[in-house]
Structure formats: structure tokens, C-alpha cells
Amino acid sequence: MKKYVLIFLILICLIFFAFWVKNNKSGNNNINQDEVKNIFNMQEYEAEIEVTVYSNKNENKYKIKQKYIKDNNKNIQEILEPNNLKGIKIVKDENKVTIENTKLNLTKIFEEFKQINQNDMDLEIFIRDFEENKEKNDIEEKNDQIILKTFSKNDNKYTKNKVLYIDKNTGKPIKMEITDTNKKTSIYIVYNKVEIK
């Protein structure tokens, strides 16, 4: 009989400890989300970013200007560098994607083309993934940064895991790292200039 009472007491202690850990963890997550609420509540943003894309044999670097407007779900990305791609603009407006080459005065429109409509480099896509994956996300603080970790909803194995680093003092993103299913970096983004409204 004493054996069963002892097992029962140990189980109660374990359940109490697990409940305590869970509540403390979610409490910290709520505090961190409050500190970055301007990103989660943004109506629009403009950013200049440096992007490094890693493949098996090489890496490619780009400078891109991004703009997002929530009201009409519009996203604009314009390549600033390298020079041979400068002026190429990708405009996503609802389910329509327009690719413009301002140097050659060419435009191509894709309607209902969902494959190109998901760009994991977009800040709002990260926020959407983060909000839709609440059970699997992770938030931590390190030095003066808040680190948000989530998973991409798309089927691309090269962009499955995402980590966004946010400056705790300004509430603005510093960098984003996107890794494949093996946690190998495929895209690395540095936010040089960010305006969030």
C-alpha cells in the first residue's frame, strides 16, 4: 500500500512541475510578444535588405527594397543590386503577380499563380507563419535581441525553418535566417533600414 501512495505522490509532483514550467514559459512568451507588438500589428512596412542565397555550390548576394501594404495585401520587391538585375520589380497584389523590368520596359502578369505568391523572404509571411504555428513556435531573449522561431507552411524543403532576430529596444527586425529541413542556412537576410507603420 505504501508503494502505491509513494507512486501517486510522485505522479502528482511531476504533474504540478510540468504545469508550473508550462505556465512560466507561456508567460515569458507573452511578455516578449508585447515587446514586438508593432511587428505583429503592422499595417505596412518598407525595408532595405541584403539577402544572401546559399546553394550547393555557390552563394548569391542581392540588395532589395521591400514594401508591404496590408489593406490591399500588396507587396513590392525591387532589386537594387546586382546591377545586371537592377530595376526588376515583383509586385504581388492579392492573387496576381506582376514582374517588371524597368530597364527593358517589359511586364509579365501571372494570375492565380499561387506558387510564386509565397515569398519566404517577406516579413509579413514570417508573421503569418508565426501566428499560424503557435503550438510549435519558440521565443527567446539573448542580449538585446528577441529571437522568434517558426516553420514555413509551404512545401519547399529549403525554406522550412525561419528565425527572426528583433532589436529589443527598437522593436525592429535585425536579421532573418531561413534554413532547410537539415537546419542548413539557405537564405540569410540583414535588415539595413526598416520603417513599420
Side-chain angles (χ1 to χ4, degrees):
M1 184 71 172
K2 288 182 182 180
K3 183 178 175 183
Y4 293 116
V5 171
L6 184 60
I7 291 171
F8 179 74
L9 287 175
I10 291 171
L11 284 173
I12 293 293
C13 289
L14 287 173
I15 291 170
F16 177 75
F17 180 73
F19 180 75
W20 179 79
V21 167
K22 181 180 176 187
N23 282 344
N24 281 342
K25 185 177 179 186
S26 65
N28 288 339
N29 286 350
N30 290 336
I31 291 167
N32 292 339
Q33 284 185 1
D34 286 343
E35 291 172 351
V36 293
K37 65 184 173 191
N38 61 333
I39 287 180
F40 285 96
N41 297 325
M42 70 180 173
Q43 297 303 303
E44 61 182 83
Y45 79 88
E46 284 188 48
E48 285 186 19
I49 62 174
E50 288 180 27
V51 181
T52 306
V53 179
Y54 299 93
S55 65
N56 289 338
K57 296 181 180 176
N58 59 7
E59 63 182 62
N60 296 300
K61 294 182 181 269
Y62 306 91
K63 283 191 179 176
I64 298 173
K65 184 176 182 180
Q66 292 181 325
K67 184 171 184 174
Y68 169 70
I69 304 165
K70 186 175 184 178
D71 283 344
N72 54 2
N73 195 22
K74 188 171 188 175
N75 182 293
I76 303 166
Q77 293 205 55
E78 181 179 356
I79 298 176
L80 305 175
E81 290 182 15
N83 278 334
N84 63 327
L85 299 175
K86 186 175 182 176
I88 292 179
K89 208 183 264 191
I90 301 168
V91 180
K92 293 187 298 182
D93 194 352
E94 295 296 335
N95 284 327
K96 181 173 78 172
V97 176
T98 305
I99 299 176
E100 302 174 15
N101 187 329
T102 54
K103 281 184 180 178
L104 301 175
N105 200 21
L106 297 172
T107 301
K108 179 72 177 170
I109 298 172
F110 299 91
E111 303 237 18
E112 301 297 327
F113 196 67
K114 293 181 181 175
Q115 288 86 348
I116 204 167
N117 211 17
Q118 164 88 22
N119 185 352
D120 283 300
M121 293 190 306
D122 293 342
L123 186 58
E124 79 277 3
I125 299 296
F126 179 94
I127 299 304
R128 188 191 70 194
D129 286 341
F130 194 87
E131 289 177 335
E132 290 177 1
N133 292 323
K134 287 184 180 176
E135 306 301 318
K136 299 177 184 175
N137 292 335
D138 189 28
I139 302 174
E140 62 182 80
E141 282 186 45
K142 197 172 187 181
N143 302 325
D144 284 338
Q145 296 178 352
I146 297 170
I147 302 165
L148 307 176
K149 298 178 183 179
T150 192
F151 304 92
S152 178
K153 291 285 209 174
N154 71 26
D155 295 328
N156 187 342
K157 69 178 183 178
Y158 298 105
T159 60
K160 273 326 247 182
N161 307 292
K162 300 183 190 178
V163 182
L164 181 66
Y165 297 80
I166 298 170
D167 185 305
K168 190 175 177 182
N169 300 313
T170 65
K172 293 182 179 180
I174 302 166
K175 61 185 177 180
M176 185 192 305
E177 187 175 10
I178 302 173
T179 60
D180 63 17
T181 50
N182 296 318
K183 305 282 186 177
K184 183 178 175 186
T185 302
S186 53
I187 300 172
Y188 186 79
I189 299 169
V190 175
Y191 292 88
N192 291 330
K193 192 190 291 185
V194 184
E195 292 297 325
I196 297 173
K197 298 176 185 176

